[in-house]
């Protein structure tokens, strides 16, 4: 056993990881009690989605400022507010071997799976580890560069890809599950937020949806984070002068173009093409040249109508 643990990188055995592991042991009860479960890999953009969902219920039912769905017992403030459980379904910094592909415990639950381009996710994860909270003090990267962190065998982008493949299979297997893509929500936020609420069985007017999208615009969320608007300590910047230390950091689609050179992007492209289920429609574009930006403009969630997600009959809902 001692030798086994010696093979696990420090980023998987940190104080934060051990705390998360203890939480995992108690999550089955919360899943059973929840009306809806929102599953996503860490740093897949769920904070923005949670903020929009919170705003919808806050305005309709007069909740106080600063609350956030999934924090505390918001559903106890009004009988019509559902109990939503936001869950990563994994240890945030674990490797592929530590993922659980069995999603049968979600059978019979209404589950929204939020996916995001794995390269954008791993970049955001690196900034989370190095710039935010106590994580940065433990040097969980062991001095790795962003590219080394992203491509470490069995970890980094490999974990994100395996995780998203497993959840896509679950969405296609179990009734009552839906796939939503961060890029599609960014591309058409009002349409996609309405589609999410329709799937959850909730009905909000176009005006309510529009208000939630406008209130949770990234510039406003960063302003609220700087002002400590949310009661959750997790929604506060470590260093207000450093944009990378914000929880709401960048929110770009394919923002990774600013972080890797052409050779690194080629390697990342090969990893994604060889391992990620093509049904996601994710590809790694080239460096930020005029030609690659023209290519980027044709990708789902950046321009044009959102590509509907597989594995759910609700995916055709557009309003």
């Amino acid at each position: 056993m001692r030798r086994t643990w010696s093979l696990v990188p420090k980023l998987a055995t940190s104080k934060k990881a051990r705390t998360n592991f203890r939480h995992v042991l108690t999550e089955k009860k919360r899943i059973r009690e929840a009306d809806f479960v929102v599953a996503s890999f860490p740093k897949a953009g769920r904070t923005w989605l949670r903020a929009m969902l919170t705003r919808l219920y806050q305005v309709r039912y007069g909740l106080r400022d600063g609350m956030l769905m999934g924090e505390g017992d918001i559903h106890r403030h009004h009988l019509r507010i559902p109990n939503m459980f936001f869950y990563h379904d994994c240890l945030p910094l674990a490797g592929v071997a530590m993922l659980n592909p069995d999603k049968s415990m979600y059978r019979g639950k209404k589950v929204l799976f939020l996916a995001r381009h794995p390269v954008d996710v791993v970049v955001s994860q690196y900034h989370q580890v190095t710039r935010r909270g106590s994580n940065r003090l433990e040097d969980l990267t062991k001095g790795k560069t962003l590219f080394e962190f992203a491509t470490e065998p069995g970890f980094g982008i490999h974990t994100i890809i395996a995780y998203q493949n497993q959840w896509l299979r679950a969405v296609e297997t179990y009734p009552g599950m839906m796939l939503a893509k961060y890029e599609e929500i960014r591309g058409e936020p009002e349409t996609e937020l309405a589609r999410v609420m329709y799937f959850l069985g909730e009905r909000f007017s176009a005006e309510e949806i529009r208000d939630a999208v406008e209130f949770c615009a990234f510039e406003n969320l960063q302003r609220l984070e700087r002002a400590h608007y949310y009661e959750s300590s997790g929604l506060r910047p470590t260093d207000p002068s450093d944009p990378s230390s914000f929880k709401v950091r960048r929110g770009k689609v394919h923002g990774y173009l600013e972080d890797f050179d052409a050779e690194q992007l080629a390697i990342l492209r090969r990893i994604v093409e060889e391992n990620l289920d093509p049904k996601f429609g994710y590809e790694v574009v080239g460096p930020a040249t005029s030609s690659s930006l023209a290519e980027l403009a044709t990708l789902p969630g950046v321009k044009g109508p959102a590509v509907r997600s597989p594995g759910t009959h609700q995916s055709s809902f557009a309003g």
Side-chain angles (χ1 to χ4, degrees), residues 299-312:
L299 296 178
V302 180
K303 181 180 179 180
V307 177
R308 294 301 167 195
S309 308
T312 171

Side-chain angles (χ1 to χ4, degrees), residues 106-223:
Y106 298 95
R107 184 185 290 113
K109 302 296 297 186
K110 187 159 279 194
V111 180
L112 175 72
F113 168 50
L114 177 65
R116 188 180 184 185
H117 195 298
V119 184
D120 274 333
V121 175
V122 79
V123 170
S124 186
Q125 187 181 42
Y126 183 79
H127 285 288
Q128 171 76 18
V129 170
T130 58
R131 303 292 183 89
R132 285 186 54 79
S134 60
N135 285 340
R136 72 191 193 284
L137 302 179
E138 294 188 67
D139 188 22
L140 303 184
T141 69
K142 298 174 67 174
K144 293 182 178 68
T145 65
L146 169 57
F147 182 71
E148 291 169 339
F149 177 87
T151 58
E152 181 179 4
F155 290 85
I157 192 173
H158 302 283
T159 304
I160 299 165
I161 289 173
Y163 175 97
Q164 297 204 149
N165 285 343
Q166 291 171 3
W167 265 103
L168 181 59
R169 287 193 291 272
V171 168
E172 296 175 331
T173 300
Y174 297 113
M177 291 190 179
M178 186 183 88
L179 167 67
K181 292 169 64 176
Y182 175 85
E183 294 79 12
E184 293 178 355
I185 301 175
R186 286 288 288 162
E188 296 188 46
E190 292 181 26
T191 297
E192 290 300 300
L193 180 58
R195 185 171 75 93
V196 166
M197 301 315 296
Y198 184 84
F199 165 73
L200 297 177
E202 299 287 282
R203 300 294 182 268
F204 287 89
S205 68
E207 183 178 351
E208 289 173 309
I209 294 289
R210 188 177 307 112
D211 169 78
V213 170
E214 291 176 355
F215 183 81
C216 297
F218 271 72
E219 296 78 8
N220 193 48
L221 280 185
Q222 282 200 333
R223 181 183 65 80

